[in-house]
């Protein structure tokens, strides 16, 4: 995968740290070129570094049956040469300029970035503008890279029992929503993908009017806009039609699957249908769900670790997760591995008891204040990284949310009340909205080493 993992979480992005966290967020400057390219610039002069990121509004949730995985393979091919530069030349030039570069594909977007010294901005723009509309997509290179992706799928999904469980879980939880598509693609679709499929996908979606360019760091906004006009301005726009997405039908009962795969330990995955910011019935609900996730899994003092791992010792590991910033409605997730002497039913019962407690009892104000302070501190400390600042802006824009939400996020979290946390637990964490997947471990091959539990988020997906 061009030296990258498929999934990239905002919690594990490379930190271009500078000085201690600052209280006042730097101003964001915005401009749109005549060809539709949106540019966001966030100056941060604490260190002579910058990050440039190009976010395309396309990912696995834009795909349909027969071509799943095309967005991810196209990401690979973006490093395999343009009409003017050969395979690998992009990476070589960035390295020669003392920088690092990478990319990631998710359900809602595909993004490319370079971290460089602040006097190397033009290098990044020249390269990114070249491959935005000028990719070679050589059939021979595609054939080689397709085999790489197939092997990646075998190693990271087919031979990883927890990732395999998660893939089947998604396909069960979502009947119509494209969130049932694995980012890496279904095996049958990978077998029939062609270079022409990629060429069509590239032409449709990799256009300036379907992209957001984000620059953060030690930069002058006027210089950024001038260079962007120079390099990206001549690129032609494309007619981009919004994807026709099938709405997920209302779930009318609990769904359960059992996945049999060679594994050392059983694994439990539970997901409740929940809204995101873009579609919530009440604007405060996604923020209350985010706080709820932190009440359960906001560090070693949060409820799941305190009560199920250290307390009753039912779980060897367990977690909860929720994303408010997905393009489409998603899931509130729980996962876990039972401790020795306990089984999956006992762990599931313990997790359900935690959910029922949240529905019946408002979170104690003191506990909520501690969790909220910790959650907000994490949001603020993330601003020590110019990379994380740019990531936040790019992600919001790519899922259809205004970038200005980045400056409002802490206030929205601060406003959440115990009653609101209880309300979303009662409304959304209900059996009729639940999908459960259980990994039923089968005997390992004699020469197969046991895999350590990956935990929640160990799957190859980005929401």
């Amino acid at each position: 995968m061009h030296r990258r993992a498929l999934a990239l979480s905002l919690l594990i992005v490379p930190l271009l740290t500078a000085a201690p966290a600052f209280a006042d967020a730097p101003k964001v400057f915005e401009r749109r070129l005549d060809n539709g390219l949106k540019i966001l610039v966030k100056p941060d002069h604490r260190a002579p570094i910058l990050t440039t990121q190009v976010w395309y509004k396309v990912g696995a949730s834009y795909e349909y049956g027969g071509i799943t995985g095309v967005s991810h393979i196209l990401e690979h091919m973006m490093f395999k040469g343009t009409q003017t530069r050969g395979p690998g030349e992009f990476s070589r030039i960035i390295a020669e300029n003392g920088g690092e570069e990478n990319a990631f594909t998710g359900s809602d977007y595909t993004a490319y970035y370079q971290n460089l010294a602040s006097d190397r901005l033009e290098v990044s723009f020249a390269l990114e503008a070249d491959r935005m509309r000028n990719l070679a997509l050589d059939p021979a290179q595609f054939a080689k890279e397709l085999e790489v992706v197939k092997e990646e799928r075998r190693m990271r999904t087919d031979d990883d029992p927890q990732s395999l469980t998660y893939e089947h879980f998604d396909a069960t939880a979502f009947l119509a929503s494209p969130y049932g598509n694995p980012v890496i693609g279904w095996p049958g679709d990978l077998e029939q993908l062609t270079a022409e499929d990629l060429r069509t996908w590239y032409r449709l979606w990799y256009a300036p009017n379907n992209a957001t360019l984000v620059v953060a760091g030690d930069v002058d906004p006027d210089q950024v806009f001038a260079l962007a006009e120079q390099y990206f301005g001549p690129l032609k726009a494309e007619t981009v039609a919004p994807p026709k997405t099938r709405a997920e039908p209302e779930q009318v009962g609990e769904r359960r699957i059992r996945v049999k795969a060679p594994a050392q330990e059983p694994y439990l995955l539970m997901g409740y249908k929940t809204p995101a910011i873009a579609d919530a019935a009440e604007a405060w609900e996604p923020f209350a769900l985010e706080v709820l996730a932190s009440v359960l899994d906001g560090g070693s003092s949060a409820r799941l670790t305190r009560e199920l791992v250290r307390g009753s010792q039912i779980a060897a590991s367990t977690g909860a997760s929720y994303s408010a910033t997905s393009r489409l409605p998603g899931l509130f997730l729980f996962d876990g591995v039972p401790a020795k002497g306990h089984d999956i039913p006992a762990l599931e019962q313990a997790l359900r008891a935690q959910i029922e407690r949240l529905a019946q009892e408002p979170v104690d104000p003191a506990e909520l204040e501690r969790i909220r302070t910790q959650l907000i501190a994490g949001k603020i400390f993330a601003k020590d990284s110019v990379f994380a600042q740019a990531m936040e802006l790019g992600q919001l824009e790519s899922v259809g949310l205004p970038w200005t939400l980045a400056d409002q996020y802490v206030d929205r979290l601060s406003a959440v009340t115990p009653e609101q946390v209880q309300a979303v637990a009662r409304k959304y964490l209900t059996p009729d909205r639940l999908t459960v997947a259980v990994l039923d471990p089968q005997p390992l091959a004699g020469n197969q080493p046991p895999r350590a539990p990956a935990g929640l988020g160990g799957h190859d997906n980005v929401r």
Side-chain angles (χ1 to χ4, degrees):
M1 269 198 67
H2 189 69
R3 309 188 309 279
R4 73 181 73 71
L6 173 63
L8 182 70
S9 165
L10 287 174
L11 299 178
I12 58 172
V13 297
L15 295 179
L16 292 177
T17 48
F22 45 92
D24 297 323
K27 182 178 179 181
V28 176
F29 297 82
E30 176 182 347
R31 186 167 297 179
R32 190 181 293 274
L33 301 185
D34 290 343
N35 60 12
L37 178 67
K38 189 167 191 176
I39 307 167
L40 302 176
V41 182
K42 191 170 187 179
D44 183 339
H45 300 293
R46 295 172 298 163
I49 55 176
L50 61 81
T51 184
T52 67
Q53 302 176 3
V54 177
W55 292 72
Y56 294 96
K57 297 178 182 178
V58 64
S61 68
Y62 288 70
E63 298 167 359
Y64 49 85
I67 64 163
T68 61
V70 66
S71 300
H72 172 232
I73 296 180
L74 182 55
E75 175 215 320
H76 280 238
M77 293 300 295
M78 287 283 278
F79 296 88
K80 298 303 176 182
T82 67
Q83 301 297 331
T84 58
R85 294 180 172 90
E89 192 169 349
F90 187 110
S91 300
R92 179 184 61 78
I93 293 171
I94 293 296
E96 286 178 350
N97 282 273
E100 59 178 2
E101 41 79 42
N102 220 317
F104 50 94
T105 306
S107 291
D108 296 328
Y109 41 72
T110 309
Y112 303 83
Y113 69 84
Q114 297 86 49
N115 301 327
L116 293 156
S118 53
D119 62 351
R120 294 293 188 270
L121 177 64
E122 189 169 2
V123 174
S124 170
F125 278 14
L127 293 170
E128 285 290 10
D130 184 28
R131 66 179 178 179
M132 180 176 282
R133 299 259 73 186
N134 196 33
L135 203 61
L137 288 174
D138 176 67
Q141 287 287 338
F142 165 72
K144 292 178 183 178
E145 207 59 30
L146 181 59
E147 293 307 311
V148 171
V149 171
K150 289 178 183 177
E151 179 61 22
E152 179 186 343
R153 186 192 154 81
R154 285 190 288 269
M155 292 180 61
R156 295 176 57 83
T157 301
D158 299 336
D159 293 339
D160 184 324
Q162 290 190 6
S163 292
L164 186 66
T165 301
Y166 194 94
E167 182 175 86
H168 285 272
F169 165 82
D170 262 353
T172 302
F174 297 108
L175 299 183
S177 169
Y179 281 170
N181 293 336
V183 172
I184 201 166
W186 292 109
D189 289 349
L190 295 180
E191 289 294 335
Q192 62 183 341
L193 275 179
T194 67
E196 190 57 35
D197 290 329
L198 264 70
R199 199 174 304 279
T200 300
W201 202 249
Y202 173 70
R203 180 184 60 79
L204 286 175
W205 301 109
Y206 277 57
N209 52 318
N210 195 50
T212 303
L213 171 63
V214 185
V215 179
D218 185 26
V219 294
D220 173 67
D222 289 336
Q223 181 190 22
V224 174
F225 294 140
L227 284 172
E229 183 67 56
Q230 177 184 343
Y231 286 99
F232 293 94
L235 302 180
K236 293 183 179 180
E238 187 67 54
T239 300
V240 178
K244 293 182 178 181
T245 301
R246 292 183 300 178
E248 180 69 15
E250 181 180 357
Q251 190 166 331
V252 292
E254 183 177 313
R255 301 171 190 162
R256 303 185 71 90
I257 60 166
R258 183 171 297 273
V259 178
K260 293 184 176 181
Q264 186 180 29
E265 298 172 314
Y267 175 62
L268 173 67
L269 187 55
M270 302 167 59
Y272 295 85
K273 294 280 178 59
T274 45
I277 291 173
D279 63 280
E282 301 288 344
W284 55 265
E285 289 183 338
F287 300 95
L289 285 164
E290 195 163 319
V291 172
L292 189 157
S294 292
V295 169
L296 291 167
D297 191 21
S300 60
S301 61
R303 291 185 182 185
L304 294 186
T305 298
R306 185 179 73 237
E307 299 183 14
L308 302 190
V309 178
R310 294 200 308 270
S312 63
Q313 298 184 359
I314 287 176
S317 63
T318 186
S321 176
Y322 167 75
S323 174
T325 54
S326 57
R327 184 172 69 94
L328 304 170
L331 297 168
F332 192 108
L333 296 169
F334 294 85
D335 82 333
V337 173
K340 289 185 177 180
H342 297 276
D343 56 16
I344 289 290
L347 176 57
E348 182 178 342
Q349 183 178 359
L351 288 171
R352 286 178 181 262
Q354 290 291 329
I355 295 166
E356 182 64 19
R357 176 183 170 191
L358 284 164
Q360 297 303 322
E361 304 172 9
V363 179
D364 181 84
E367 180 185 14
L368 181 60
E369 185 59 30
R370 175 180 58 79
I371 293 294
R372 185 163 48 202
T373 299
Q374 179 178 331
L375 182 62
I376 293 170
K379 299 286 186 184
I380 294 174
F381 291 148
K383 297 185 183 299
D384 270 349
S385 160
V386 295
F387 187 93
Q389 293 179 62
M391 280 280 293
E392 187 174 35
L393 298 175
Q395 185 182 36
L396 289 171
E397 283 292 323
S398 298
V399 299
L401 297 172
W403 63 261
T404 52
L405 183 60
D407 293 335
Q408 304 166 11
Y409 219 93
V410 168
D411 291 339
R412 298 283 188 93
L413 292 173
S414 298
V416 172
T417 67
E419 292 74 22
Q420 289 175 332
V421 174
Q422 182 182 27
V424 292
R426 285 180 171 178
K427 182 176 181 179
Y428 295 112
L429 305 189
T430 63
D432 283 350
R433 307 177 73 90
L434 173 64
T435 299
V436 180
V438 174
L439 170 61
D440 184 356
Q442 303 299 297
L444 292 163
N447 61 352
Q448 183 177 349
R451 299 184 68 93
L456 193 62
H459 49 82
D460 293 338
N461 210 342
V462 179
R463 284 280 187 260

